[in-house]
């Protein structure tokens, strides 16, 4: 079972069964108890007719039943299709059309009208469950694909990435090499369980090290701080938007976070100002680069590494930064990030059959822009399609956002291009401010001149915004990722 997703949980249950594996609200599971719950769920899925190779759609809610279902479905050789708990009916219809699931596992409020058997959480995990346990198999009987993880679909039709047992196991091995975690660590997870960082990232690494995972039912800064304090959490996963909210929280400097040694940051380019706030607080930040197609992280920085670097590739992963012709660019020059290695998915899952993820030589063309430094460390600077071309000059939104992140009174910042008849596009900044900003004494709202004054000496003038929009909130997806395609709608508000 060494190359089977979930094998690490079984091994830990055998060798360290009495250790605490999972905490959720007022309940805990030892490794032995978690393993037993998985085996009982396998037996119950079998009773409901799920077989190896079948697809099972699951509401990826942040609850222990979802984690147990994840391990149970993949262990029996079926394929889990985890979705964000707030998925819309239209999105669910696309997923079911592409995957033809035999069952949908979900709670109340999840869209109906789907094909296949509908199972509630209580059907698989009844209160006081003491049902029979399925025997342990040497290997899953069914599909080599363990999980079909659908991309967020911020533009176009969502795509299902077919992640094999081998992909997820190699991703976990990369995390073991790149994350500074150990058996005494307690990791906090406060993201939906459909996130690829849960499937191949920090919780799997923590369980491999026989540490403890604390699962939050949702992300809320107050709850996050409470859980760190109450469970003496030592590490956590947070997308940059979550980290920014925590850094501005009134309790950020209190003793409630004293046990937190480091956070794993991923999902979008990190903001220098937020990272420096964490470092000043004594909390390291491990920047990571990864995508759904790479089964989570393929690079990890050291906790005290430079503010923008995401670190060097993990073992067995190759990275290159290429120009439009596919040739590697010099050190320090931005280009498209290409990834090759055993954690990279081989195909997208579609109703018509598999569609290759990589080119003929095994490279996945990420669509992200990045650059290497002299020490082989990767810095992500944005998306190819998000590059602003103004007056013939290229501007990476993430670079401008990073420079504005410490602007007084700014809570969140986003930058995009807006059509312009003269310049082609103009750099446009969207700011969310707090109530105490005094950039403009009359209105309490920063002006374009204030923003440009802040950037003077930091960025070349062609990168300065020509338009400023102060907005109440930025459009974000279910996992906290900025939805740039929706920024244009704020221009008319």
């Amino acid at each position: 079972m060494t190359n089977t997703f979930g094998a690490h949980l079984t091994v830990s249950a055998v060798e360290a069964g009495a250790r605490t594996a999972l905490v959720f609200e007022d309940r805990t599971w030892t490794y032995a108890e978690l393993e037993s719950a998985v085996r009982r769920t396998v037996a119950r899925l079998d009773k409901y007719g799920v077989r190896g190779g079948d697809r099972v759609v699951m509401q990826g809610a942040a609850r222990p039943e979802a984690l147990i279902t994840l391990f149970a479905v993949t262990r029996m050789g079926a394929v889990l299709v985890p979705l964000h708990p707030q998925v819309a009916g239209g999105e669910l219809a696309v997923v079911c059309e592409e995957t033809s699931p035999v069952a949908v596992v979900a709670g109340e409020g999840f869209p109906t009208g789907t094909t296949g058997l509908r199972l509630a959480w209580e059907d698989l995990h009844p209160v006081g469950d003491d049902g029979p346990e399925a025997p342990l198999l040497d290997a899953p009987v069914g599909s080599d694909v363990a999980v079909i993880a659908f991309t967020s679909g911020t533009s176009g039709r969502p795509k299902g990435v077919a992640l094999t047992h081998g992909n997820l196991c190699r991703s976990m091995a990369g995390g073991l090499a790149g994350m500074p975690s150990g058996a005494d660590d307690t990791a906090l997870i406060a993201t939906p369980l459909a996130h690829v960082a849960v499937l191949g990232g920090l919780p799997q690494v923590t369980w491999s090290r026989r540490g403890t995972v604390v699962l939050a039912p949702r992300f809320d800064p107050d709850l996050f701080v409470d859980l760190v304090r109450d469970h003496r959490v030592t590490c956590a996963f947070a997308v940059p938007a979550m980290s920014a909210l925590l850094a501005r929280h009134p309790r950020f400097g209190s003793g409630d976070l004293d046990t937190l040694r480091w956070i794993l940051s991923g999902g979008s380019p990190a903001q220098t100002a937020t990272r420096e706030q964490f470092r000043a607080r004594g909390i390291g930040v491990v920047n990571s680069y990864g995508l759904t197609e790479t089964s989570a992280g393929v690079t990890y920085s050291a906790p005290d590494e430079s503010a923008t670097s995401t670190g060097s590739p993990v073992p067995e992963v190759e990275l290159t930064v290429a120009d439009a012709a596919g040739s590697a660019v010099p050190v320090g020059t931005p280009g498209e990030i290409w990834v090759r290695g055993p954690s990279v998915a081989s195909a997208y899952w579609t109703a018509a059959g598999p569609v290759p993820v990589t080119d003929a030589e095994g490279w996945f063309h990420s669509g992200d822009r990045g650059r290497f430094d002299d020490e082989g460390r990767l810095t992500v600077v944005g998306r190819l399609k998000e590059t602003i071309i103004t007056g013939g000059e290229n501007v990476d939104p993430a670079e401008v956002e990073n420079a504005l992140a410490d602007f007084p009174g700014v809570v969140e910042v986003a930058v995009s291009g807006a059509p312009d008849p003269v310049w082609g596009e103009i750099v446009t900044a969207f700011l969310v401010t707090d109530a105490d900003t005094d950039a403009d004494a009359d209105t309490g709202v920063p002006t374009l001149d204030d923003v440009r004054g802040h950037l003077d000496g930091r960025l070349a003038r062609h990168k300065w915004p020509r338009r400023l929009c102060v907005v109440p909130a930025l459009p974000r997806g279910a996992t906290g990722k900025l939805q740039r395609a929706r920024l244009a709608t704020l221009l008319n508000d």
Side-chain angles (χ1 to χ4, degrees):
M1 290 185 63
T2 55
N3 206 36
T4 299
F5 177 69
H8 56 298
L9 185 66
T10 301
V11 172
S12 294
V14 171
E15 299 180 359
R19 291 182 65 95
T20 299
L22 179 64
V23 178
F24 180 78
E25 295 182 339
D26 59 353
R27 186 176 175 188
T28 63
W29 288 258
T30 65
Y31 277 93
E33 290 169 339
L34 193 57
E35 171 69 11
S36 292
V38 171
R39 293 195 192 187
R40 286 194 298 269
T41 305
V42 169
R44 196 160 275 113
L45 285 164
D46 181 76
K47 183 189 75 171
Y48 282 114
V50 177
R51 299 291 181 264
D54 289 342
R55 274 77 64 199
V56 177
V57 167
M58 183 189 75
Q59 181 184 19
R63 54 190 299 165
E65 296 93 338
L67 278 172
I68 294 167
T69 302
L70 160 66
F71 286 115
V73 170
T74 55
R75 182 173 296 188
M76 66 190 304
V79 183
L80 190 79
V81 187
L83 301 179
H84 190 273
Q86 297 176 355
V87 66
E91 295 170 303
L92 179 59
V94 169
V95 170
C96 290
E97 180 183 333
E98 296 287 15
T99 63
S100 300
V102 301
V104 175
V105 183
E108 293 183 4
F110 201 69
T112 57
T114 58
T115 59
L117 176 67
R118 177 91 177 197
L119 297 173
W121 295 116
E122 295 77 13
D123 294 326
L124 295 182
H125 311 279
V127 176
D129 182 12
D130 59 356
E133 297 182 9
L136 184 63
L137 302 174
D138 291 334
V141 179
S143 175
D144 184 44
V145 175
V147 173
I148 302 174
F150 274 80
T151 56
S152 57
T154 53
S155 61
R157 185 180 177 92
K159 293 187 295 185
V161 183
L163 301 175
T164 66
H165 286 267
N167 290 151
L168 293 168
C169 288
R170 298 321 301 165
S171 177
M172 186 177 67
L176 286 167
M179 294 186 210
S181 62
D184 295 329
D185 273 313
T186 298
L188 175 57
I189 303 299
T191 53
L193 299 187
H195 200 294
V196 72
V198 174
L199 303 174
L202 181 57
Q204 309 304 334
V205 168
T206 301
W207 283 321
S208 293
R209 298 287 194 199
R210 295 165 191 172
T212 300
V213 171
V214 176
L215 182 62
R218 65 191 179 281
F219 173 71
D220 172 83
D222 260 327
L223 177 61
F224 189 101
V225 176
D226 286 344
L227 291 173
V228 171
R229 178 198 62 201
D230 295 345
H231 299 288
R232 301 189 62 79
V233 168
T234 59
C235 56
F237 172 73
V239 299
M242 295 164 59
S243 299
L245 290 172
L246 288 168
R248 292 173 172 86
H249 194 271
R251 296 164 63 194
F252 183 70
S254 73
D256 292 340
L257 292 178
D258 281 354
T259 61
L260 189 60
R261 295 190 297 109
W262 56 277
I263 64 166
L264 175 65
S265 180
S268 60
Q271 303 254 327
T272 302
T274 299
R275 182 184 175 105
E276 291 306 311
Q277 287 176 282
F278 272 83
R279 291 180 66 178
R281 176 65 179 77
I283 302 171
V285 178
V286 177
N287 283 336
S288 175
Y289 174 69
L291 308 98
T292 303
E293 287 87 347
T294 65
S295 314
V298 290
T299 72
Y300 295 94
S301 73
D304 57 352
E305 209 164 288
S306 81
T308 57
S309 167
T310 64
S312 302
V314 299
E316 300 187 294
V317 167
E318 298 175 77
L319 288 183
T320 190
V321 176
D323 60 20
S327 300
V329 300
V331 169
T333 301
E336 184 180 11
I337 302 169
W338 291 10
V339 188
R340 183 166 63 183
S343 67
V344 178
S346 62
Y348 295 107
W349 185 291
T350 75
V355 175
V357 166
T358 62
D359 64 19
E361 297 181 350
W363 288 104
F364 169 60
H365 301 199
S366 71
D368 290 324
R369 281 169 56 83
R371 62 175 180 269
F372 281 119
D373 64 16
D374 291 332
E375 297 182 22
R377 299 175 302 188
L378 178 71
T379 294
V380 182
V381 298
R383 292 284 294 171
L384 284 176
K385 293 181 180 179
E386 293 166 358
T387 300
I388 303 166
I389 303 177
T390 179
E393 300 283 352
N394 288 353
V395 178
D396 285 309
E399 183 181 13
V400 186
E401 291 165 357
N402 199 36
L404 287 174
D406 61 347
F407 184 87
V410 166
V411 177
E412 290 187 281
V413 58
V415 172
S416 72
D420 184 83
V422 176
W423 299 94
E425 290 182 290
I426 56 173
V427 179
T428 304
F430 299 83
L431 301 183
V432 179
T433 64
D434 61 29
D436 299 324
T437 181
D438 57 359
D440 186 311
D442 295 326
T443 66
V445 175
T447 67
L448 186 59
D449 286 341
D450 295 327
V451 169
R452 290 180 159 194
H454 181 78
L455 296 177
D456 193 7
R458 295 184 174 209
L459 293 179
R461 293 179 66 91
H462 73 272
K463 299 178 182 178
W464 294 4
R466 292 176 178 268
R467 185 172 182 178
L468 174 65
C469 295
V470 179
V471 297
L474 298 178
R476 294 192 179 276
T479 59
K481 184 176 291 187
L482 178 67
Q483 295 183 318
R484 292 187 187 274
R486 292 173 53 196
L487 287 174
T489 63
L490 302 179
L491 295 172
N492 299 320
D493 290 348

